[in-house]
Amino acid sequence: MANDNTKVDNPNGVSFFGLVGMVVSSCIGSGVFALTGQLANVASPGAALVAWLVCGLGFLFLALALAYVGSKRPELDGVCAYAEEGFGPFHGFISGWGYWLSAWLGNVGFATMIAQVLGSKYCLGGMLPGVFSNPETGNPAVVGVVVVSVLLWAITFLVINGVESAAFLNAVVMVVKCAAILLFILFAVVSFNAGIFTADFWGTAQRNAVIMAANKTGLGSVAHQVTQCILVMMWVFIGIEGASVMSNRAKKKSEVGSATILGLVVLLVLYIGASVIPYGVLPYKELVAAPKPATITVFEHMLPGFGGAFISWAIIISVAGSWLSFTMLPAEVSSMMADHHELPAKWGELNKRNSPQYSLLIVGALTEIFIIVATFAADAYTFAISMCTVTIVVTWAYAAAYQVKLAKANNDMGQMVIGVLALLFQVVGVLFTGWGFLLLACLGYIPGFFFYKQARDAEGSGIVKNEVILAVVIAIAGIISIPLTAVGIIPVF
């Protein structure tokens, strides 16, 4: 397709570096800094490495699938449009609404992490213990809620004042956060002790005893440990589709696929280094007992008197950058869905700075509400990232399914295999580790169905019988989650 085709290319749009920045910065937020403690509580270093291999391959297949669709159908409006193109407007709505839910629920996780870090004894919590977060649960305290709320609205109004300028700032933050993580990895390599790392490498003896003493349940088999890692690891790859979602604003849509793959490679290097090497820095007992996020304790151990404070502020900058991305992405998706008559036209209205102001304000308001609600959860951070992960898997699965359909139409068997593997990884990963949260997420679709009907009626096409049936099934699944949550089967409160 010619470069002067304005449907595909945008001379004033986001550059290749900006697209890579969207992928990396969208993914690197709170997750990479929480990984060490989260993985240590469910897996040995050997099992964690196996889990990274599984997740790395799974997301490589997804990245390749996104790149393939992007190269074959560059005129489509990003990853959420693939479901509509392949399976119809209602499926486009399901994919887009899942992505929209995921993005702002992720912001709740970011808010929780910032409150946790501010409450750390190596940050402001050293002077004001218990003011920013609850020392026992890690949930935001009242002052913490106020602080993250101010940040929430500051980011919202920044994006309202121009998406392209915010994307540039996001790329700059990406450099800062990657430098901080690389510094952490460098010191971890220098401090690495092979004896600590290899002791009970598969978690069947000493490590298992430590977990039994701390959590009353053991690590289990290697296969069980790997399974327990999957949902946590999937969370840190949310944003891998960031370049695709922003494709309509890309300078060259042909660069979206390569930006996604390059971003994935950068992420894998950083994630594996930051989460696995610390197994050889701190004794396992101390690693498991470290306050959330454990990265702060590890860096303070490596650089006493400086490391904890340094990484605390690096985490805050990193999470703020990812929060910026996760504010842009849902607004872009809801605006696209309005253009495709899957949401009312109001959701797609742009202000004089070319930003979907109405959508951004809705996202800000809902994030604010859930920040407050999450403070009552047993573990606000885990609840937020679990909900965020299962909802975005809906979008990823649709994208992989469309890639299979497109590859079949082009008689490309190799790409079909890639798409099938990407789809299986997403579906199996969630069903094994997050089925309860997926049921709970169905509740979030119920109000969306009314907006969808309103949009279709305004467009003149209305909704059809099959769409009604599927909506009812999803609504019933959501309603079932209520008693399951109440009795603790779905662990929220």
Side-chain angles (χ1 to χ4, degrees):
M1 216 169 266
N3 286 337
D4 62 352
N5 186 338
T6 56
K7 285 191 66 178
V8 177
D9 291 340
N10 178 6
N12 298 318
V14 182
S15 67
F16 177 78
F17 178 72
L19 292 173
V20 175
M22 284 300 303
V23 174
V24 176
S25 195
S26 295
C27 290
I28 297 178
S30 61
V32 64
F33 300 104
L35 273 174
T36 297
Q38 288 180 304
L39 296 186
N41 275 277
V42 297
S44 60
L49 285 171
V50 173
W52 276 122
L53 175 63
V54 173
C55 278
L57 288 173
F59 280 99
L60 174 61
F61 295 139
L62 179 62
L64 291 172
L66 292 174
Y68 179 79
V69 176
S71 66
K72 295 296 183 181
R73 300 298 306 274
E75 76 281 3
L76 295 180
D77 296 332
V79 65
C80 296
Y82 300 162
E84 178 188 358
E85 183 68 16
F87 310 102
F90 188 64
H91 293 278
F93 164 78
I94 293 175
S95 174
W97 192 258
Y99 190 91
W100 180 81
L101 286 171
S102 174
W104 63 262
L105 284 167
N107 290 343
V108 177
F110 297 148
T112 303
M113 174 64 78
I114 288 178
Q116 286 179 354
V117 174
L118 288 174
S120 166
K121 66 179 181 180
Y122 302 111
C123 195
L124 300 182
M127 298 179 289
L128 301 168
V131 171
F132 296 97
S133 60
N134 185 314
E136 296 180 1
T137 65
N139 292 356
V142 175
V143 175
V145 170
V146 173
V147 171
V148 296
S149 296
V150 170
L151 181 57
L152 159 66
W153 290 108
I155 291 174
T156 299
F157 286 112
L158 172 64
V159 179
I160 284 175
N161 283 307
V163 174
E164 275 79 10
S165 60
F168 172 77
L169 177 60
N170 199 47
V172 173
V173 172
M174 176 197 70
V175 174
V176 174
K177 69 172 69 176
C178 287
I181 295 170
L182 287 171
L183 187 63
F184 174 81
I185 293 173
L186 176 62
F187 276 97
V189 169
V190 172
S191 306
F192 185 80
N193 184 316
I196 295 176
F197 184 77
T198 57
D200 193 20
F201 188 70
W202 297 107
T204 58
Q206 298 99 320
R207 296 182 194 273
N208 190 61
V210 168
I211 291 295
M212 283 289 290
N215 301 336
K216 310 304 180 186
T217 56
L219 290 175
S221 66
V222 173
H224 178 74
Q225 294 176 50
V226 171
T227 301
Q228 293 297 103
C229 292
I230 297 299
L231 193 63
V232 172
M233 291 180 174
M234 291 179 81
W235 151 248
V236 299
F237 284 105
I238 293 179
I240 193 69
E241 72 298 321
S244 178
V245 173
M246 295 293 288
S247 64
N248 206 38
R249 295 178 181 268
K251 184 174 292 185
K252 293 183 179 180
K253 282 198 174 184
S254 60
E255 295 178 338
V256 169
S258 53
T260 299
I261 294 174
L262 178 58
L264 174 64
V265 172
V266 172
L267 289 167
L268 282 171
V269 171
L270 294 176
Y271 287 162
I272 295 173
S275 65
V276 176
I277 297 176
Y279 274 100
V281 175
L282 271 183
Y284 190 65
K285 186 175 183 179
E286 295 180 31
L287 197 57
V288 169
K292 304 172 184 177
T295 301
I296 297 176
T297 302
V298 175
F299 210 20
E300 178 66 19
H301 174 81
M302 296 186 292
L303 283 175
F306 170 75
F310 170 82
I311 203 66
S312 293
W313 290 107
I315 291 172
I316 291 173
I317 294 172
S318 175
V319 174
S322 198
W323 196 339
L324 175 61
S325 295
F326 272 57
T327 301
M328 288 189 285
L329 295 178
E332 286 295 306
V333 170
S334 59
S335 181
M336 181 273 290
M337 292 171 70
D339 291 341
H340 291 218
H341 308 291
E342 294 163 2
L343 285 177
K346 184 71 175 177
W347 291 64
E349 288 183 1
L350 302 179
N351 63 15
K352 62 182 180 180
R353 295 185 180 274
N354 202 34
S355 292
Q357 181 171 324
Y358 179 79
S359 296
L360 287 164
L361 291 174
I362 290 176
V363 167
L366 289 171
T367 304
E368 180 70 68
I369 291 170
F370 268 74
I371 286 173
I372 296 171
V373 170
T375 61
F376 298 98
D379 185 336
Y381 181 74
T382 299
F383 168 66
I385 69 170
S386 298
M387 293 296 295
C388 177
T389 303
V390 297
T391 46
I392 202 169
V393 164
V394 174
T395 306
W396 288 340
Y398 267 117
Y402 177 58
Q403 192 263 6
V404 173
K405 184 174 181 178
L406 191 61
K408 182 179 179 181
N410 292 326
N411 199 29
D412 192 334
M413 293 302 296
Q415 286 294 331
M416 280 186 63
V417 171
I418 288 173
V420 168
L421 291 173
L423 180 59
L424 284 175
F425 172 71
Q426 303 303 327
V427 173
V428 173
V430 165
L431 291 180
F432 266 92
T433 62
W435 64 268
F437 291 108
L438 184 60
L439 285 178
L440 195 60
C442 290
L443 281 175
Y445 274 92
I446 295 176
F449 294 144
F450 294 99
F451 290 120
Y452 176 78
K453 183 179 186 304
Q454 182 182 350
R456 301 308 289 177
D457 288 344
E459 192 258 346
S461 58
I463 58 175
V464 299
K465 181 179 178 180
N466 288 342
E467 293 177 344
V468 173
I469 293 173
L470 184 53
V472 169
V473 170
I474 293 172
I476 291 173
I479 293 170
I480 290 172
S481 72
I482 296 175
L484 294 179
T485 301
V487 300
I489 295 176
I490 300 176
V492 177
F493 302 105

